[in-house]
């Protein structure tokens, strides 16, 4: 088991190294610098600022300095937020993004599993067709479109919830619903497919022969086994909710990481763009590592197969 986890940690570090390097050079290929667009600054002032932040140094020097700082846990300082450390800015903005991600993940998983179970139990009925239609709708339409529709109907027309603010729990309801649509659709389709396969297993046939009811067979025997593969998609989906909330945060004026990330793109704030990308990559790789370890614990055959590779 120690060898299995060690290999996964090495893969994690290698992945973060590749993503950090790719992001750095991608930023350097972009035209302009954060100060070139500042009309209030003279050319001399822009040159002084670029020298101060090391933007005039050769690319290999900048790359080496950036990678050394990352190893130390230093993601640099922001160009637009009064030289504040990027790490501090990310931590300060993490609360709203995490709250939205957790709420959307919780609602999306519960509702999606229930829809998937009902679709599998009542296969080829109007319940199955309705669940499939909702799942296709949720996977086809981006969350920001749902956000705009909710904002117009519930916020503007009905005035039940605030249109765009972040001062109470009510402010989080509409963005949570908009973000939860995709996980609902994903979990429903995944659960339906897995459950139909499980319901065709021999032990389910045996349970039917013993006289168990349809509800007992589904919720007592089949659902538990069908849930195991769902673990694989839940982890990346949780991180996807945070990264996917960028536009939704902007629409609802939520002071989260996504809203800050969009502003940093508009102002070419390289440190925040690279820091946010590395932060999300770190979250995703850690969650994948946890999922891999859980799989290794649940099914030792996966661990053995991984060791042979």
């Amino acid at each position: 088991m120690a060898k299995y986890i060690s290999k996964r940690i090495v893969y994690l570090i290698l992945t973060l190294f590749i993503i950090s390097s790719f992001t750095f050079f991608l930023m350097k290929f972009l035209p302009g610098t954060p100060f070139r667009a500042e009309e209030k600054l003279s050319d001399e002032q822009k040159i002084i600022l670029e020298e101060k932040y090391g933007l005039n140094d050769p690319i290999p020097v900048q790359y080496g300095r950036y990678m050394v700082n990352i190893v130390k846990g230093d993601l640099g300082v922001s160009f637009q937020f009064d030289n504040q450390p990027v790490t501090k800015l990310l931590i300060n903005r993490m609360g709203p993004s995490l709250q939205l991600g957790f709420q959307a993940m919780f609602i999306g998983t519960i509702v999606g599993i229930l829809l998937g179970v009902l679709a599998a139990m009542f296969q080829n009925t109007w319940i199955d067709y309705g669940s499939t239609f909702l799942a296709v709708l949720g996977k086809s339409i981006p969350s920001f479109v749902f956000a705009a529709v909710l904002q117009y109907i519930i916020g503007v027309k009905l005035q039940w919830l605030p249109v765009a603010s972040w001062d109470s729990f009510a402010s989080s309801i509409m963005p949570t619903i908009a973000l939860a649509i995709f996980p609902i659709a994903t979990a429903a389709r995944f659960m339906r497919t897995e459950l139909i396969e499980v319901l065709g297993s021999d032990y389910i046939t045996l349970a039917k022969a013993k006289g168990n009811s349809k509800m007992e067979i589904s919720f007592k025997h089949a659902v538990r086994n069908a849930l195991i593969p769902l673990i694989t998609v839940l982890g990346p989906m949780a991180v996807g909710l945070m990264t996917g909330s960028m536009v939704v945060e902007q629409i609802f004026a939520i002071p989260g990481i996504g809203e800050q990330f969009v502003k940093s793109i508009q102002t070419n704030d390289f440190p925040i763009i690279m820091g946010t990308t590395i932060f999300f990559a770190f979250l995703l790789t850690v969650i994948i590592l946890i999922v891999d370890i859980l799989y290794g614990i649940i099914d030792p055959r996966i661990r053995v197969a991984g060791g042979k590779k």
Side-chain angles (χ1 to χ4, degrees), residues 49-60:
L49 285 171
E50 287 173 4
E51 286 180 353
K52 176 185 176 183
Y53 289 103
L55 299 175
N56 289 331
D57 292 338
I59 297 295

Side-chain angles (χ1 to χ4, degrees), residues 101-152:
F102 176 78
Q103 289 177 183
M105 191 68 196
F106 180 77
I107 294 173
T109 306
I110 299 298
V111 176
I113 288 175
L114 286 176
L115 283 177
V117 170
L118 289 174
M121 286 176 61
F122 302 98
Q123 197 178 355
N124 298 326
T125 64
W126 68 269
I127 296 176
D128 186 17
Y129 298 142
S131 172
T132 302
F133 175 74
L134 290 175
V136 172
L137 202 68
K139 290 182 78 70
S140 306
I141 301 177
S143 56
F144 61 83
V145 175
F146 285 112
V149 172
L150 290 172
Q151 211 171 31
Y152 178 73

Side-chain angles (χ1 to χ4, degrees), residues 118 176 178 209 221 232 252 272 279 298 302 306:
L118 289 174
T176 298
H221 301 288
T232 310
F252 288 102
I272 289 187
F279 173 71
I298 294 170
I302 297 173

Side-chain angles (χ1 to χ4, degrees), residues 33-82:
T33 67
F35 309 112
R36 289 295 176 188
E38 291 292 337
E39 297 178 355
K40 295 180 182 177
L41 297 176
S42 65
D43 290 340
E44 290 77 13
Q45 289 173 320
K46 291 175 183 175
I47 292 172
I48 291 173
L49 285 171
E50 287 173 4
E51 286 180 353
K52 176 185 176 183
Y53 289 103
L55 299 175
N56 289 331
D57 292 338
I59 297 295
V61 175
Q62 294 185 46
Y63 174 69
R65 184 169 57 227
Y66 188 71
M67 295 307 288
V68 169
N69 287 337
I70 286 180
V71 172
K72 294 177 182 176
D74 180 8
L75 296 174
V77 294
S78 168
F79 296 149
Q80 62 174 329
F81 292 106
D82 298 328

Side-chain angles (χ1 to χ4, degrees), residues 146-210:
F146 285 112
V149 172
L150 290 172
Q151 211 171 31
Y152 178 73
I153 296 175
I154 300 178
V156 177
K157 290 294 181 183
L158 301 176
Q159 297 185 349
W160 288 349
L161 293 169
V163 176
S165 63
W166 187 253
D167 48 14
S168 65
F169 177 75
S171 304
S172 70
I173 294 177
M174 281 201 290
T176 298
I177 295 173
L179 286 173
I181 299 295
F182 184 77
I184 286 174
T186 304
R189 297 304 302 156
F190 201 86
M191 195 66 196
R192 178 187 181 277
T193 305
E194 291 296 325
L195 194 56
I196 288 174
E197 188 176 338
V198 172
L199 287 173
S201 304
D202 292 339
Y203 74 93
I204 296 295
T205 306
L206 180 63
K208 289 178 182 175
K210 289 182 177 178

